Amino acid sequence: MTDETEITLTVNGTEHTVEVEPRRLLVHTIREDLDLTGTHIGCDTGNCGACTVLKDGEPIKSCLMFAAQADGAEILTVEGMEDLPAADDLHPLQEGFREEHGLQCGYCTPGMLIAGKALLDENPDPEEGEIRDAISGNLCRCTGYQNIVRSIEYAADELDARAAADGGTVAADGGADASAGSADAPAGDADTFCGLEDCCGGPEGESFDDQFDRDYLGGDGE
Ligand code: FES
Ligand code: FES
């Protein structure tokens, strides 16, 4: 029998105390002990970046750290992004990935969003090369890098616009002005579920926003 150790993690602003084996990886604690499955596992060996989270504000690959090593840390996962600053708002990065089509299968997206956030927290007005450098540890198997870069540029512009509207006080943790951008269905026929003319109608009782949020951006669709 392996000894377990008690650790405390503050994840997306909520403190959790969990018992973990010394060998347990942080990504497994996040996904399985805390049930925050927005953080993905692509390789388990530090290559893909799908498991990227912020630990005390720094991006880390959570498959490369034991949970016990993160004892006492503040962790931000993709599920925590949309709550900044208001629960109903998408983070400008999430908005950017939707507006600029920054995802295809979406598997890399949580890690890309967190890597993008880490960049914009440090550098609110990055050059294209700086964005590419910031996401260089995150692989997209769908090879949608061009749109991912555009998505992060969109977020930088959006954050800048919100800061200007708010007298320069809004940082990369979100925006105070929820009027900029929209969480509505994409441009097209507003009467259909997804905006496409031949839309299937979508799942019963679920809006496009709910499904998009839940499936791709790490939210719970509520
Ligand atoms: S799962 Fe951690 S880098 Fe791939
Ligand atoms: S969108 Fe498919 S792996 Fe990046």
Side-chain angles (χ1 to χ4, degrees):
M1 183 175 145
T2 310
D3 286 339
E4 294 198 336
T5 183
E6 185 178 282
I7 64 167
T8 301
L9 300 173
T10 300
V11 182
N12 304 331
T14 301
E15 188 174 294
H16 301 272
T17 300
V18 287
E19 300 271 342
V20 294
E21 290 185 1
R23 64 180 178 175
R24 191 151 184 79
L25 297 175
L26 178 59
V27 68
H28 293 139
T29 289
I30 290 170
R31 287 178 51 85
E32 294 161 28
D33 299 333
L34 304 181
D35 204 24
L36 292 169
T37 54
T39 300
H40 291 170
I41 302 175
C43 65
D44 231 357
T45 53
N47 291 304
C48 74
C51 65
T52 306
V53 298
L54 293 190
K55 173 180 172 285
D56 297 326
E58 296 294 325
I60 60 145
K61 292 176 176 175
S62 57
C63 73
L64 291 184
M65 177 172 281
F66 293 119
Q69 291 176 294
D71 186 20
E74 298 254 357
I75 304 290
L76 182 81
T77 71
V78 69
E79 289 92 342
M81 289 184 69
E82 67 182 85
D83 290 333
L84 302 173
D88 291 341
D89 294 342
L90 286 180
H91 188 282
L93 275 162
Q94 294 169 313
E95 207 174 277
F97 272 70
R98 182 167 66 181
E99 296 302 316
E100 298 294 335
H101 308 286
L103 61 145
Q104 295 174 70
C105 78
Y107 203 84
C108 70
T109 308
M112 290 289 185
L113 287 166
I114 294 290
K117 179 167 178 8
L119 170 66
L120 296 182
D121 284 347
E122 287 288 315
N123 178 3
D125 186 24
E127 301 290 331
E128 179 180 337
E130 292 173 314
I131 295 174
R132 290 185 181 277
D133 191 48
I135 62 170
S136 60
N138 295 68
L139 301 181
C140 176
R141 294 171 299 181
C142 301
T143 66
Y145 294 105
Q146 190 60 43
N147 286 3
I148 290 169
V149 169
R150 284 201 195 108
S151 302
I152 296 173
E153 288 173 338
Y154 174 103
D157 290 345
E158 178 66 17
L159 285 163
D160 188 48
R162 292 185 188 190
D166 200 47
T169 59
V170 180
D173 61 350
D177 180 5
S179 65
S182 167
D184 294 337
D189 183 349
D191 294 335
T192 67
F193 175 72
C194 64
L196 297 175
E197 201 173 330
D198 58 353
C199 174
C200 68
E204 193 175 347
E206 186 174 42
S207 71
F208 177 85
D209 291 343
D210 289 343
Q211 188 187 48
F212 190 94
D213 180 15
R214 188 199 64 232
D215 289 353
Y216 298 117
L217 297 179
D220 58 12
E222 294 176 356

